Amino acid sequence: MDRSEIKLGILGYGVVGGGLYHILTTNADQVARRTGVPVVVAKVADIDWERPRKIQVPPALRTTDAYEVINDPQIDIVAETIGGTDPALEFVLAAIEAGKSVVTSNKEMMAKHGGEILAAAAAKGVDVQFEGSVCGTIPIIRALKESLEANRISQIIGIVNGTTNYILTKMTQEGREFAQVLQEAQQLGYAEADPSADIEGIDAANKIAILAAIAFGSHVPLELVYREGISKITPQDISYARQMGYVIKLLAIAKQADGKAELRVHPALLPAAHPLASVNGVFNAVFIRGDACDEVMLYGRGAGALPTGSAVAGDVIDCARNILHGTPGRVPCVCEGTLDVVPMDEVATRVYVRMKVADKPGVLGNIATIFGSQGVSIQSVIQESSSGDLAEIVWLMHKGRERNLRLALEAIGHLDIVEEITSVIRVED
Ligand code: HSE
């Protein structure tokens, strides 16, 4: 296509929109060289231009009406950086319908409505790219869709949420309680005022659903992702984990073997020698295992104006090239199959269990008998110094089904000699 420039419209001028605008204007020469023609930001829509922002947009480009961007025949690509599904989904579908290629950083929208959006894009012959939706700057989607696409991917394990990784890192390094570190993270602006999407693992579940869909070539309904957050993790568990050679991380896990998949987000004990164990603070990383590539790990910042803006800008350049070369849809959606997801009760993991019990003869034996009767095999036991009449016992179990462990713990929880089952945390090797 003989074009002297490509025009971009941005919907939503928050942190990511600002980062995108900054990169495309500051690095305009490089973007033009790589694309073949300049990529020009033609309009930016946001409902509130009064909010203070670090990166300003010239008033002439501003509008409060998203449809001024979507319906502008001059605009080739629409970048959606609003977040959430409402009104982002409506705007994205309208932009596709108007024949625009779309770039988005919206994980919730892609996790819940990616299939519908990509089908609409395929029908219209435009691109929808969403690198910025998972792990900010880390090029994980392009890695799975293109660089590693000849592999059978058996495993993706990610630290995909910076807020929870920051909290767990601080708890580990400073021995502090969850609630205290969360409050500090909120004051520093690392955690949202309503932190539930991050600390309950909702954000991570959205991200692993997107990655699993691409890696396994399947539609992944979000409700099939098992989810547990980090609010019950204590400094005591972190300390016991350390004694046993582990760190505690919130992991997003997608595994596939023999046609069965596991999809789960939960805190886990991870061996201190695992490459993901040293990913600290707000950083994210994704560890992938494929039949040809073996192990791959990608690391970087999972949030922030410029890191996420970088991923979105890369997608804009790719869409622009496809428009210039007449090849939108060059890398089509592959998420058409269905996945046989193993129910959590059937998943086999190793588990760490901490409990407070009466400190008297026969207690350990009683509890061990119940574990044994459910086929739960004990790997190691630590008994820490007693306080009063109570002892604290930490069990590490061999790999076993969740259902058996659950039944054993229900029975153990009813014993008079058991004061409290304090923690149950999976172990990921
Ligand atoms: N809230 C996310 C995190 C960043 O804490 O990693 C955006 O996905």
Side-chain angles (χ1 to χ4, degrees), residues 318-372:
D318 203 43
C319 286
R321 276 201 212 105
N322 284 343
I323 291 169
L324 292 170
H325 295 280
T327 54
R330 184 180 56 84
V331 184
C333 168
V334 292
C335 317
E336 283 158 357
T338 49
L339 215 50
D340 188 358
V341 178
V342 183
M344 205 55 198
D345 245 15
E346 298 299 321
V347 167
T349 59
R350 291 177 60 222
V351 179
Y352 155 105
V353 180
R354 180 161 70 96
M355 57 180 73
K356 287 202 176 83
V357 300
D359 194 5
K360 58 185 189 189
V363 167
L364 219 56
N366 275 353
I367 297 172
T369 303
I370 296 181
F371 278 133

Side-chain angles (χ1 to χ4, degrees), residues 107-108 111-112 134 201-211 222:
K107 70 219 144 189
E108 185 186 336
K112 291 181 178 162
V134 178
I202 297 167
D203 175 81
N206 283 326
K207 291 169 180 170
I208 199 69
I210 294 171
L211 296 185
L222 198 50

Side-chain angles (χ1 to χ4, degrees), residues 238-251:
I238 292 173
S239 169
Y240 279 121
R242 183 188 287 128
Q243 282 178 46
M244 295 184 293
Y246 294 90
V247 295
I248 298 184
K249 295 286 185 191
L250 181 72
L251 298 182

Side-chain angles (χ1 to χ4, degrees), residues 283-307:
F283 278 86
N284 287 191
V286 186
F287 179 88
I288 303 157
R289 196 184 288 276
D291 60 349
C293 65
D294 196 22
E295 296 175 356
V296 174
M297 191 165 105
L298 302 174
Y299 169 90
R301 288 191 182 274
L306 296 182

Side-chain angles (χ1 to χ4, degrees), residues 239-241 243-244 352-355 364 378 380-385 391-396:
S239 169
Y240 279 121
Q243 282 178 46
M244 295 184 293
Y352 155 105
V353 180
R354 180 161 70 96
M355 57 180 73
L364 219 56
I378 298 158
S380 67
V381 187
I382 302 175
Q383 176 169 341
E384 279 293 313
S385 55
E392 185 157 70
I393 317 276
V394 173
W395 311 79
L396 211 53

